Amino acid sequence: MALAQTHPVEPSFRDSVDIMFNRAVALMDLSPGLEEKIRVCNATYTVRFGVRLRGGLHTFTGYRSVHSEHMEPAKGGIRFAPSVHQDEVEALAALMTYKCALVQVPYGGSKGGLRIDPRDWDEHEMELITRRFAYELIKRDMINPAQNVPAPDMGTGEREMAWIADQYKRMNTTDINSNACVTGKPINAGGIQGRTEATGRGVQYALREFFRYPQDVAAAKLSGSLDGKRVIVQGLGNVGYHAAKFLSEEDGCRITGIIERDGALYSEAGLNVEDVRQWIVKHGSIKGFPDAALSDDGAALLEADCDILIPAALEGVINMTNAHSIQAPLIIEAANGPVTAGADEVLRAKGTVIIPDMYANAGGVTVSYFEWVKNLSHIRFGRMQRRAEESRHQMLVDELERLSADKGLGWTLSPGFKQQYLRGAGELELVRSGLDDTMRGAYQSMREVWHDRADVHDLRTAAYLVSIGRVAASYRAKGL
Ligand code: NAD
């Protein structure tokens, strides 16, 4: 996979996260000891293991990093990519700590990675490799319902999570909570409705919440609602695809650009996200997609004129080499770390509003939390309440209709209203409601700091202040 071309003097991803952390703690009153305790990564485990494939022994390198255990289990995805390395995994684990604190899911921060290009191996080989990696982590309790719970990330999805869960079960045959050892599983293997699209859905909810505040919208030199906004998205994978699909189909956004690893598509009239996705699935590339201009230099489209830029692929893509040229007034970081610390300075000076990663892509971990709770409670959300709720609603509708008939009022409830009102909330509705509530609440806590403190000028610093404050409070409560 092509790595983002960063400036030679730019710090690493891990240092970039620390620079942003340091900028925020400089505005806080933490003891130097506590500050250091929160910043450092507690442990990183590196494993090299062999798998016999295609008649030979192949050695793979994997990592699992735990940034903080102020709450347990620690939580964070597992990434499969050839670019995976320790610095990246540690940066991502740190972001998980701050993200979980910001959206108030009760976890420490962790992340894992396997250095592999999944496209090099067939499904059966991937299963052998994934199971072996999982085995190495499980036997050291680095996958465990009470201690460390992975989830999907770049290059992994529900297929890998199902293999990991099954591997854990084979090794812990009497653990009644084994399903809770990993989230993002398929629905028929202990998963939850709405998890696959949760991160993209969270990006949509984050933007909706942002656009509820005209003051914030004006800060990004925009006006009005999401309807008609021109959006460029980078990465049409799990996160980018769902975010772009929902924003275009449900909020009236026009997806004018899609950047993928092999180029970019542009159409001023707007691209049909589903059609592009199906094209990629069928042809393995965006090349040849009809009714759009194709550019071989995909990353150049990051600099094009648009209202909202959604980097949803990988870290470091907006850096010192292109930050000055970015025209989008609003960036929402669907990926982790797409804007380097240096680029962040440049963009802030230009007045670009950035909705930071630790908030923007928190939908995934939020719904993972719901899945974990579901697995531990061994019951689907809504199973007990749904019909009771429906019968109460039915009573109200019957009473209204009876009153109308008795008094000769001639009232009739519209069939659409009745149908919607009478339907009790199932798991998907409850997951969406919990996700929406979480995204709204977290945004409000950030914007309060952004607007109320004279020394805070951006949402990222505000997000760090909220989350570091919560992690610090949790450490203090433990007597540290
Ligand atoms: P994914 O593997 O499903 O999709 C990544 C997409 O980016 C792919 O379509 C790939 O072709 C494309 N891509 C790769 N390199 C590219 C490049 N140089 N230029 C343009 N496109 C490129 O991964 P994902 O799960 O959607 O994750 C994307 C980002 O979102 C990552 O930063 C990840 O950490 C973050 N994230 C994911 C989740 C989740 O639930 N999956 C949750 C939170 C954050």
Side-chain angles (χ1 to χ4, degrees):
M1 187 200 316
L3 265 182
Q5 199 60 49
T6 49
H7 197 267
V9 295
E10 239 165 338
S12 70
F13 186 11
R14 175 90 186 96
D15 290 340
S16 213
V17 171
D18 281 351
I19 290 169
M20 293 167 179
F21 174 94
N22 291 342
R23 201 172 70 215
V25 285
L27 307 175
M28 299 176 80
D29 188 21
L30 294 185
S31 72
L34 184 54
E35 192 184 305
E36 179 68 359
K37 176 70 208 83
I38 296 173
R39 183 192 303 108
V40 298
C41 198
N42 288 4
T44 301
Y45 174 63
T46 306
V47 59
R48 296 180 187 86
F49 58 91
V51 187
R52 186 161 288 283
L53 298 161
R54 302 179 190 175
L57 188 62
H58 295 260
T59 301
F60 297 90
T61 304
Y63 304 90
R64 187 78 184 159
S65 181
V66 177
H67 175 261
S68 84
E69 292 145 293
H70 67 291
M71 290 192 189
E72 282 186 308
K75 188 97 184 71
I78 289 186
R79 172 175 291 193
F80 284 2
S83 54
V84 161
H85 55 91
Q86 181 168 344
D87 180 275
E88 178 187 77
V89 176
E90 291 189 354
L92 291 164
L95 280 175
M96 283 307 297
T97 297
Y98 309 133
K99 187 181 306 184
C100 292
L102 183 66
V103 294
Q104 294 188 296
V105 299
Y107 295 135
S110 183
K111 202 80 180 194
L114 183 65
R115 198 181 296 155
I116 189 172
D117 189 339
R119 291 171 302 177
D120 290 346
W121 304 95
D122 67 27
E123 182 163 8
H124 178 63
E125 291 166 334
M126 280 311 298
E127 178 171 354
L128 292 176
I129 299 163
T130 306
R131 281 184 182 275
R132 183 58 206 259
F133 183 35
Y135 168 83
E136 296 293 336
L137 297 180
I138 293 163
K139 74 176 182 191
R140 291 171 180 85
D141 284 336
M142 302 202 81
I143 296 178
N144 180 297
Q147 274 177 264
N148 199 320
V149 181
D153 194 76
M154 196 192 285
T156 57
E158 54 178 41
R159 181 183 75 165
E160 289 73 17
M161 301 305 116
W163 292 333
I164 293 172
D166 187 63
Q167 187 64 32
Y168 181 87
K169 281 181 209 172
R170 288 186 187 186
M171 296 167 69
N172 296 273
T173 50
T174 56
D175 184 349
I176 193 169
N177 291 321
S178 54
N179 262 342
C181 75
V182 67
T183 58
K185 301 178 291 293
I187 199 74
N188 57 8
I192 193 167
Q193 300 279 353
R195 173 59 184 92
T196 306
E197 68 269 31
T199 310
R201 183 66 79 188
V203 171
Q204 175 196 33
Y205 288 168
L207 279 172
R208 283 185 179 174
E209 183 62 5
F210 179 86
F211 275 86
R212 284 192 186 101
Y213 301 96
Q215 184 190 1
D216 301 5
V217 177
K221 298 177 268 316
L222 292 168
S223 60
S225 69
L226 276 170
D227 192 29
K229 293 286 178 290
R230 294 161 308 143
V231 176
I232 294 179
V233 59
Q234 182 191 38
L236 209 66
N238 178 306
V239 179
Y241 159 68
H242 286 110
K245 180 179 165 73
F246 299 147
L247 287 167
S248 59
E249 291 178 2
E250 298 172 16
D251 297 285
C253 289
R254 200 154 27 111
I255 310 298
T256 50
I258 292 178
I259 307 169
E260 254 296 329
R261 60 173 96 215
D262 53 350
L265 295 172
Y266 189 82
S267 162
E268 195 52 38
L271 294 152
N272 183 310
V273 177
E274 194 54 50
D275 288 351
V276 178
R277 172 78 162 199
Q278 291 313 323
W279 185 272
I280 296 175
V281 170
K282 193 163 170 207
H283 303 275
S285 162
I286 54 167
K287 295 203 164 123
F289 182 79
D291 305 327
L294 174 79
S295 152
D296 286 331
D297 181 9
L301 199 64
L302 290 168
E303 300 165 25
D305 180 28
C306 65
D307 299 313
I308 306 172
L309 178 61
I310 311 184
L314 63 164
E315 59 265 18
V317 292
I318 299 172
N319 50 56
M320 295 298 280
T321 64
N322 62 1
H324 291 92
S325 322
I326 300 290
Q327 294 188 56
L330 176 63
I331 299 175
I332 177 159
E333 296 181 325
N336 282 308
V339 176
T340 63
D344 191 62
E345 293 277 346
V346 173
L347 291 166
R348 268 187 297 127
K350 283 204 323 185
T352 310
V353 171
I354 302 177
I355 303 180
D357 46 7
M358 77 169 81
Y359 168 68
N361 66 38
V365 75
T366 301
V367 177
S368 276
Y369 169 47
F370 302 154
E371 180 177 334
W372 181 74
V373 171
K374 174 186 178 183
N375 294 153
L376 293 178
S377 56
H378 299 267
I379 188 163
R380 162 171 57 80
F381 287 109
R383 182 165 175 182
M384 304 292 277
Q385 307 91 331
R386 183 173 187 163
R387 302 300 169 195
E389 191 186 330
E390 286 181 357
S391 52
R392 266 202 314 278
H393 286 187
Q394 185 69 55
M395 274 169 67
L396 183 66
V397 165
D398 291 348
E399 189 64 9
L400 278 175
E401 288 180 339
R402 189 190 63 74
L403 275 172
S404 167
D406 282 3
K407 307 279 178 207
L409 297 172
W411 292 348
T412 45
L413 297 171
S414 69
F417 168 81
K418 259 171 83 169
Q419 197 191 9
Q420 267 191 313
Y421 184 68
L422 288 176
R423 214 172 106 80
E427 187 169 83
L428 186 59
E429 287 89 354
L430 292 169
V431 163
R432 286 192 184 155
S433 153
L435 176 60
D436 195 12
D437 186 56
T438 302
M439 296 307 290
R440 289 190 200 202
Y443 186 76
Q444 287 156 20
S445 62
M446 274 191 318
R447 83 177 291 275
E448 222 168 80
V449 175
W450 181 27
H451 293 305
D452 290 358
R453 283 189 59 155
D455 53 356
V456 175
H457 309 290
D458 64 307
L459 277 166
R460 191 190 312 278
T461 307
Y464 270 100
L465 282 173
V466 173
S467 60
I468 297 168
R470 289 183 183 154
V471 177
S474 164
Y475 274 124
R476 281 199 204 96
K478 288 179 169 214
L480 275 177

